[in-house]
Amino acid sequence: DTGVSQDPRHKITKRGQNVTFRCDPISEHNRLYWYRQTLGQGPEFLTYFQNEAQLEKSRLLSDRFSAERPKGSFSTLEIQRTEQGDSAMYLCASSSPGQVAKNIQYFGAGTRLSVL
Amino acid sequence: GENVEQHPSTLSVQEGDSAVIKCTYSDSASNYFPWYKQELGKGPQLIIDIRSNVGEKKDQRIAVTLNKTAKHFSLHITETQPEDSAVYFCAAPPRGLTGGGNKLTFGTGTQLKVEL
């Protein structure tokens, strides 16, 4: 158990609906990352936070996606007006200051989104 | 940006045999190379990593080798066991990062099956 917690584990929604996922990183990890993984592919970077600041966003993160980390602890990823192409596993990872140089990222189990 | 290529996509070995998975990367500034194991329904778990100032690193049955000149690195698993069956991903951090966030670019994964 890596200690990164994601909720929910599974989400089924209809096209056009909004969904929100939550990630709780390992305690005191100041960096938090969101990745997306589709079937048969490796995780793809979406965005990352250092404390509460969102420092980088991928071009994969369209205007329908927004991520927040208001208090520098847990983070939420919201997808508005979901499309079938949004169906994927959404993974969260965190890393600690002492391990930045090695970039040891610990992943959660992910939230699997299915858009019908 | 970084491009990471991984092969083979599937690998089947007999229990007790060795398995080798290879990756190449494009960004010569990359200096950290982790390998992750992902079991069904779980997030990726770090199994071994190597920094660019080292050519080889070993941890029990698992080893990673790095050739910086050729920009490739490999995962070696010896005396394979059924519980080694999983998808393995290599990764590398690209340069040009805002705030040194060290996002990871992943390979496309190798499905390893260890047969009895």
Side-chain angles (χ1 to χ4, degrees), chain A residues 1-14:
Chain A
D1 186 4
T2 62
V4 177
S5 178
Q6 292 190 245
D7 183 70
R9 292 293 311 277
H10 299 95
K11 178 70 177 179
I12 300 174
T13 191
K14 292 182 179 178

Side-chain angles (χ1 to χ4, degrees), chain A residues 56-108:
Chain A
E56 187 170 355
K57 294 197 294 186
S58 161
R59 280 172 287 183
L60 291 174
L61 216 64
S62 75
D63 291 345
R64 297 184 296 106
F65 288 70
S66 62
E68 294 182 345
R69 195 182 183 198
K71 296 182 181 178
S73 56
F74 73 91
S75 175
T76 58
L77 177 68
E78 181 184 15
I79 309 174
Q80 296 182 326
R81 304 181 304 280
T82 52
E83 301 173 356
Q84 288 185 323
D86 297 331
S87 296
M89 175 78 85
Y90 290 84
L91 293 163
C92 176
S94 68
S95 66
S96 77
Q99 292 167 328
V100 164
K102 289 191 70 175
N103 193 37
I104 297 179
Q105 295 184 22
Y106 298 91
F107 282 82

